[in-house]
């Protein structure tokens, strides 16, 4: 009888672990919200803000961005590698980044650039369209 209880506990632990991993995927990829959107039950995007929604989107056009720094008059262009979730600061790391001045002249290039701004100071453009997304890669 004791071995049956130990077996049940072991099975419950394994099943719980596997379901926990599935739950993390469901939360991170917003499966429930996306399902409800696909059947037209909601137009909301979840509890996060638009920043988080945009960068977790599976839409390829939100992977390549231009971040405008109006204060310093430069534009960071690159592929989003990492971004902050909701918080006091907006942070983004761009890979294969090129930095331009507002006249369009290239200042320098870098394999990775970290950008951090207050939410009201972050201006992000998405220049890619479905047609040219593959060209950019």
């Amino acid at each position: 009888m004791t071995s049956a209880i130990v077996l049940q506990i072991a099975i419950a632990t394994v099943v719980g672990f596997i379901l926990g991993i599935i739950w993390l995927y469901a939360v991170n990829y917003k499966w429930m919200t996306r399902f409800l959107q696909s059947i037209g039950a909601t137009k909301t995007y979840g509890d996060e803000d638009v920043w988080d929604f945009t960068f977790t989107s599976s839409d390829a056009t939100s992977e390549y961005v231009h971040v405008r720094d109006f204060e310093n008059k430069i534009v960071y262009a690159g592929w989003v590698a990492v971004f902050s979730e909701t918080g006091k600061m907006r942070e983004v790391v761009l890979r294969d980044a090129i930095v331009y001045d507002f006249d369009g002249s290239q200042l320098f290039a870098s394999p990775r650039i970290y950008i951090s701004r207050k939410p009201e100071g972050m201006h992000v453009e998405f220049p890619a369209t479905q047609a040219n997304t593959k060209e950019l890669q």
Side-chain angles (χ1 to χ4, degrees):
M1 184 170 240
T2 310
S3 64
I5 293 172
V6 170
L7 180 61
Q8 287 179 355
I9 291 172
I11 291 172
T13 301
V14 170
V15 168
F17 181 75
I18 292 169
L19 289 175
I21 292 171
I22 293 170
W23 179 252
L24 286 173
Y25 273 99
V27 169
N28 284 332
Y29 292 101
K30 296 159 189 57
W31 290 345
M32 181 62 115
T33 302
R34 290 174 197 236
F35 170 72
L36 293 173
Q37 289 170 336
S38 70
I39 64 171
T42 185
K43 291 184 181 179
T44 63
Y45 50 84
D47 294 334
E48 72 281 347
D49 61 5
V50 176
W51 170 270
D52 189 42
F53 176 75
T54 301
F55 287 117
T56 58
S57 168
S58 58
D59 185 5
T61 60
S62 60
E63 294 177 7
Y64 185 81
V65 298
H66 289 173
V67 178
R68 290 200 181 269
D69 184 341
F70 287 99
E71 187 176 319
N72 296 310
K73 297 186 180 184
I74 57 176
V75 178
Y76 301 92
W79 297 92
V80 176
V82 182
F83 66 94
S84 64
E85 293 195 14
T86 57
K88 295 180 181 177
M89 296 294 286
R90 296 295 189 207
E91 299 169 300
V92 64
V93 174
L94 302 181
R95 67 175 170 80
D96 302 326
I98 301 174
V99 179
Y100 300 94
D101 63 17
F102 271 21
D103 295 327
S105 301
Q106 181 176 332
L107 300 176
F108 62 92
S110 177
R112 293 173 72 86
I113 291 181
Y114 168 79
I115 305 166
S116 177
R117 300 285 185 275
K118 292 181 181 176
E120 61 274 4
M122 186 66 86
H123 302 274
V124 181
E125 300 170 357
F126 303 91
T129 63
Q130 290 293 350
N132 72 2
T133 301
K134 291 189 179 186
E135 290 175 19
L136 291 170
Q137 293 178 347

